[in-house]
Amino acid sequence: MSTTTLIVGSGFVGRAVAARLAAQGGTPVLASRTPPPEDAAPWVRLDAADADACAQVVGSVRPDRLVLVHGPSDVTWCEADPERAIALHSAAARHLTAAARGRRTVLISTDNVFDGSGPDNDEATSTAPANAYGRAKLAAERIVGAAPDATVLRVSLVYGWEPADCAKWLNFFAACAHRLRAGEQVEAPHDQWTTPVLVEDVAAVTAAVLEPGAPGLLHLGGPDRVSRAEWAAAIADGLGVPRTRVTPVPRAAGRYASRPAHTCLTSTLLDEVLRRHGLRVRGVAEGVRALLEAAP
């Protein structure tokens, strides 16, 4: 019998997780306020901040497992309305863990739960959010972490292709690639470092930790630590355009001002999870090359 997984959040990561689970023979169901593209998995409408709506959706879908990828995830938006950001993240986590109590649950969280003072943040590093998004996610972590049979999966910066006309702010790779292909100049911080993870690798690890035996807290960062400016230059190289189209700037000069200097994740547990499931996480050069070879 196929395993049904309710994925709360039908954005970039949620759809990738749904595709991975479907490819493995599972039955993913996306849930969100607005419908995903038509070629995505089956979808149900859900306002996760509404307790009754959460109970109704869990009752109708009858999932075996849950993946929570709910937002808001725009760091700049959260910084502008921090109280609402915390309220929305907390309400969704609380309502869904209550409605689906006892079912296997994975929460996708963030590297922004750390203050960015150091480049190495593993599962034992003390949390100290540097921004409103990090505080909102940490509040959700504490709710989900207290539920039975749950894993908090903190993920570093996720990247992959998204349409250039996407309504939301594009992930860093897609934003750079589309602009560089169009002959535009790209500004990227030289003083904001991350450990990027390809979205397909995030989906694969998420599917793995839905299985029994996963740790209660796991970090997923890519093997490469790069500044955004270095990463943009690597994308330019892959596209065969001059690196001079990338202008390094301070993070304080733009929308990255509220990000920690180091949004990097390391792990003492990930290697064992990858080994057990026959997985690996690709570095930036390999990830960029794979994406550009499959460019839309």
Side-chain angles (χ1 to χ4, degrees):
M1 182 180 294
S2 176
T3 300
T4 300
T5 305
L6 180 64
I7 303 168
V8 181
S10 62
F12 180 53
V13 174
R15 295 196 304 273
V17 172
R20 177 76 183 196
L21 294 176
Q24 293 178 337
T27 303
V29 178
L30 294 165
S32 57
R33 286 190 178 90
T34 56
E38 292 182 0
D39 59 349
W43 170 79
V44 292
R45 190 179 302 278
L46 174 64
D47 177 358
D50 183 326
D52 291 339
C54 289
Q56 290 170 7
V57 165
V58 169
S60 62
V61 174
R62 300 178 66 186
D64 302 291
R65 313 177 301 189
L66 273 75
V67 176
L68 307 184
V69 206
H70 61 279
S73 57
D74 186 317
V75 177
T76 305
W77 183 95
C78 292
E79 203 65 17
D81 199 347
E83 291 184 1
R84 182 161 172 75
I86 289 178
L88 290 173
H89 277 276
S90 298
R94 185 167 53 252
H95 299 331
L96 287 159
T97 53
R101 185 167 181 80
R103 294 175 174 87
R104 178 78 183 128
T105 301
V106 174
L107 169 70
I108 307 294
S109 190
T110 176
D111 46 25
N112 280 249
V113 298
F114 300 106
D115 62 12
S117 59
D120 298 312
N121 299 295
D122 66 21
E123 290 87 359
T125 304
S126 298
T127 54
N131 54 37
Y133 176 57
R135 290 190 293 274
K137 275 296 189 184
L138 185 57
E141 282 189 12
R142 288 168 174 162
I143 294 167
V144 174
D149 201 15
T151 290
V152 171
L153 177 63
R154 293 181 183 144
V155 178
S156 199
L157 189 62
V158 184
Y159 69 98
W161 281 114
E162 292 182 280
D165 58 355
C166 186
K168 73 171 189 65
W169 179 261
L170 298 178
N171 74 81
F172 187 79
F173 166 84
C176 288
H178 285 307
R179 293 186 64 188
L180 290 169
R181 289 171 83 185
E184 299 176 19
Q185 199 73 14
V186 169
E187 290 188 347
H190 60 74
D191 55 354
Q192 206 267 325
W193 288 269
T194 185
T195 44
V197 191
L198 194 61
V199 67
E200 287 83 5
D201 293 345
V202 174
V205 173
T206 302
V209 297
L210 278 167
E211 300 299 328
L217 174 63
L218 180 67
H219 283 191
L220 172 56
D224 298 325
R225 177 180 175 269
V226 295
S227 73
R228 289 189 187 247
E230 291 169 338
W231 191 11
I235 297 168
D237 289 344
L239 288 168
V241 304
R243 283 191 168 209
T244 52
R245 287 194 191 163
V246 177
T247 304
V249 297
R251 65 189 169 99
R255 67 177 280 116
Y256 300 103
S258 60
R259 272 72 165 180
H262 300 280
T263 49
C264 303
L265 293 178
T266 55
S267 178
T268 60
L269 305 172
L270 181 62
D271 285 348
E272 172 59 23
V273 172
L274 297 178
R275 185 199 61 76
R276 189 186 315 141
H277 294 274
L279 302 173
R280 69 185 184 90
V281 177
R282 286 165 280 187
V284 170
E286 185 180 359
V288 167
R289 184 167 59 251
L291 289 170
L292 294 179
E293 288 174 354

